[in-house]
Amino acid sequence: MIVAEAVGRALAACGVGAAFGVVGSGNFHVTNALVAGGVRFVAARHEGGAATMADAYARMSGRVGVVSVHQGPGLTNALTGLTEAAKSRTPLIVLAGEATEVQSNFHIDQAALATAVGAVAMRVTSAEEVVSRVAEAYRVAVEERRTVLLNLPLDVQAAPFEGPADVMPPAIASAVPSVAEVGELARLLGAAERPVFIAGRGARHARRELEELADLAGALLATSAVAKGLFRGSPWDLDVSGGFATPLAAELIRGADLVVAWGCALNMWTTRHGTLVSPGAKVVKVDLDPAAFKTHVPADLGVAGDVARVAEALAAQVAPRPGYRSPELAARVRAEGRWRDVPYEDESGGGRIDPRTLSIGLDDLLPQERIVAIDSGNFMGYPSMFVDVPDEGGFCFTQAFQSIGLGLATAIGAAIARPDRLPVAALGDGGALMGIAELETVVRLGLPMVIVVYDDEAYGAEVHHFGPHGHPLGTVTFPPADLAAIARGHGCAAVTVGGPGDLAGVAEWVDGPRDRPLLVHAKVTAEHGSWWLEEAFKGH
């Protein structure tokens, strides 16, 4: 066995379920060793897609994601996806060949690249340390929720390895919350008349604990966008807080006298640049990372610890009270709690469909057991707000870096993580064409995916940001592209939608064998920007 094979075997022994990548000479042996160890390998068509697939897989499976790439350009091609993962604190390990000879065409400072985008750089330097180095990379990824680059120098990879590579995965420590901090939060909950819980990605494992505590404290329930669906089915679920919030959710969150953020940083998107948090409201953050307490909306109280453990400890100290809840408010949540309950004027016509009408139609047609992945762009609010998901395992939102073009790869990674659900990719035309190489991957893997392209024939965010000021828009608008024909060329079924009646083609696919992925080329109305986009541009 050589070192490269030992790396793959050791990672497999840690419990890795799937790896993604593009194989070259520098990662050939380590990738084959992963496969030999029982890890599923998914070959992408571009390293950027592979990194995003692994990120999405980790988010939706709860397991460490692994990316395998060639030295030099293999890593640089993956960089945007790795930046998204690093900013999102996704537990991810990147296996990259490394050319250490300065004269090599492949030589770059790979550790510096990783550090620059917020990842942790590590390196295997000898056969003697390979197993311990892999175990440490795995520990850092899981315990510290970090994206780790494990550099594999080519000469070290080829060295002989003597010894067992089937190591036990490292023990992962669990943070114990402070008794004093928990007691102070219990006091604040006991005094609050209108408490609201906002749960983020760090709370996606803690629905039961948070709902039980909210029932005691009389709190309303909301989430950040990445945790959408966490409280689906609760009569007190306000859905998403922030730019995607319904008018009712915004009103009630703004009216809170206590906002408790559970594994949620309360960034500008979740709080509409702070305007959803009343100046008189107390703010508490519960998070594994104490650095979150002072970022974005600073906390009056920070509680360091796992969300589920903190909520359980609080439940033993909080006496039941009505808080924000009343029969009248429950009736309002039932009647106004979803975007499809908010009246709007349908602007469909002239061969184009209103994106709200499109999204509601898809929500009605597609099976409820779905997993929805959203790309970035002007369109993104429509599927996020109007296409529902059954729970927190139904929504994958890679938006920490705000890059377009990640949506299709996100949907592939999510589909691998949750093969029991119908994968739905929601893309803009710009992002769809940017990530189009992975359409072949969808077909090759036999994924029964629905790919919806909201096509306004432009980079719509720029059109609506600069157009009203009279700037020329020729650099951000494009002639029509037959995306349905492109999809058919890859082996997909496809339907073009220019009005509500065209959705019958989607219904036919849903009722059929679903033996090929379906691309829905939706020609959407584009007279004005989305309302959430106006909020978003305040941060630019």
Side-chain angles (χ1 to χ4, degrees):
M1 186 184 300
I2 60 174
V3 166
E5 293 167 331
V7 171
R9 292 298 182 104
L11 265 180
C14 286
V16 171
F20 304 79
V22 177
V23 174
S25 60
N27 64 324
F28 182 85
H29 294 299
V30 69
T31 305
N32 281 343
L34 285 167
V35 174
V39 176
R40 178 181 182 182
F41 179 69
V42 178
R45 285 302 186 178
H46 191 277
E47 290 91 349
T52 300
M53 291 173 201
D55 180 6
Y57 172 83
R59 294 175 192 237
M60 306 316 293
S61 69
R63 305 174 76 174
V64 171
V66 172
V67 188
S68 177
V69 298
H70 187 62
Q71 62 270 18
L75 181 61
T76 58
N77 279 347
L79 211 56
T80 297
L82 299 185
T83 305
E84 169 64 37
K87 284 180 173 289
S88 297
R89 300 295 291 266
T90 297
L92 189 70
I93 297 174
V94 185
L95 303 174
E98 184 181 26
T100 53
E101 283 290 330
V102 176
Q103 292 78 17
S104 169
N105 288 348
F106 293 128
H107 175 73
I108 54 172
D109 191 341
Q110 297 189 172
L113 276 181
T115 302
V117 302
V120 176
M122 301 176 70
R123 177 178 286 111
V124 174
T125 59
S126 70
E128 291 73 26
E129 67 156 17
V130 59
V131 172
S132 62
R133 207 63 175 151
V134 169
E136 176 64 5
Y138 186 88
R139 184 202 66 78
V140 171
V142 176
E143 187 175 299
E144 299 181 23
R145 297 177 302 152
R146 301 297 298 275
T147 292
V148 178
L149 168 64
L150 187 58
N151 281 309
L152 306 175
L154 300 181
D155 56 339
V156 176
Q157 283 195 57
F161 173 80
E162 304 290 342
D166 297 330
V167 295
M168 291 293 292
I172 305 302
S174 179
V176 178
S178 158
V179 172
E181 291 170 351
V182 171
E184 178 60 13
L185 178 49
R187 186 191 69 78
L188 290 173
L189 285 170
E193 295 181 356
R194 299 178 305 281
V196 169
F197 290 178
I198 302 178
R201 184 176 173 190
R204 292 176 72 243
H205 65 294
R207 173 174 179 159
R208 177 183 60 82
E209 294 84 355
L210 290 176
E211 284 193 335
E212 289 177 358
L213 178 62
D215 288 344
L216 290 170
L220 305 182
L221 299 164
T223 71
S224 67
V226 294
K228 178 181 172 71
L230 179 60
F231 301 118
R232 187 65 76 248
S234 166
W236 306 105
D237 176 23
L238 302 180
D239 203 34
V240 174
S241 173
F244 298 161
T246 63
L248 177 65
E251 172 194 332
L252 296 176
I253 295 167
R254 210 175 267 124
D257 60 358
L258 174 66
V259 174
V260 186
W262 300 90
C264 175
L266 294 182
N267 62 27
M268 63 182 180
W269 314 115
T270 306
T271 65
R272 291 190 182 177
H273 298 268
T275 62
L276 290 187
V277 179
S278 170
K282 292 286 186 182
V283 175
V284 178
K285 292 184 180 180
V286 180
D287 205 288
L288 286 170
D289 184 6
F293 301 157
K294 298 302 180 184
T295 58
H296 305 296
V297 178
D300 297 297
L301 171 67
V303 181
D306 174 74
V307 165
R309 293 189 68 172
V310 172
E312 280 186 329
L314 281 164
Q317 301 184 38
V318 174
R321 57 199 315 269
Y324 215 155
R325 300 181 178 186
S326 69
E328 295 77 17
L329 191 55
R332 285 195 69 193
V333 174
R334 284 195 302 272
E336 308 170 45
R338 295 290 176 269
W339 268 106
R340 63 182 301 151
D341 301 323
V342 179
Y344 72 95
E345 183 178 346
D346 189 344
E347 299 177 353
S348 301
R352 293 198 168 270
I353 187 169
D354 189 309
R356 295 165 292 188
T357 303
L358 168 69
S359 302
I360 291 171
L362 292 169
D363 188 45
D364 290 339
L365 288 170
L366 299 178
Q368 283 300 305
E369 286 302 306
R370 63 185 70 150
I371 186 164
V372 180
I374 311 289
D375 206 342
S376 192
N378 178 60
F379 79 96
M380 62 189 281
Y382 301 112
S384 298
M385 293 186 282
F386 290 96
V387 178
D388 207 359
V389 293
D391 53 34
E392 74 282 2
F395 195 69
C396 196
F397 197 65
T398 46
Q399 299 291 338
F401 197 36
Q402 290 182 254
S403 172
I404 71 169
L406 305 186
L408 185 56
T410 298
I412 295 171
I416 300 298
R418 294 299 304 266
D420 56 318
R421 295 195 169 183
L422 177 74
V424 180
L427 320 173
D429 53 308
L433 289 166
M434 191 176 288
I436 201 74
E438 302 307 343
L439 202 55
E440 186 276 339
T441 306
V442 177
V443 174
R444 172 167 35 90
L445 295 176
L447 299 176
M449 185 182 292
V450 177
I451 303 158
V452 186
V453 183
Y454 291 70
D455 183 10
D456 61 0
E457 298 169 6
Y459 292 132
E462 283 65 38
V463 166
H464 297 297
H465 185 48
F466 295 106
H469 302 289
H471 296 291
L473 300 175
T475 56
V476 291
T477 54
F478 301 90
D482 192 343
L483 298 174
I486 293 172
R488 293 187 190 103
H490 281 81
C492 297
V495 59
T496 299
V497 176
D502 296 330
L503 288 171
V506 179
E508 290 175 9
W509 182 89
V510 170
D511 294 338
R514 306 184 199 171
D515 54 353
R516 291 188 295 164
L518 172 70
L519 184 133
V520 180
H521 179 198
K523 294 178 175 290
V524 297
T525 56
E527 283 71 27
H528 49 76
S530 52
W531 57 94
W532 64 268
L533 189 68
E534 297 175 6
E535 290 286 339
F537 275 129
K538 293 178 182 178
H540 285 225

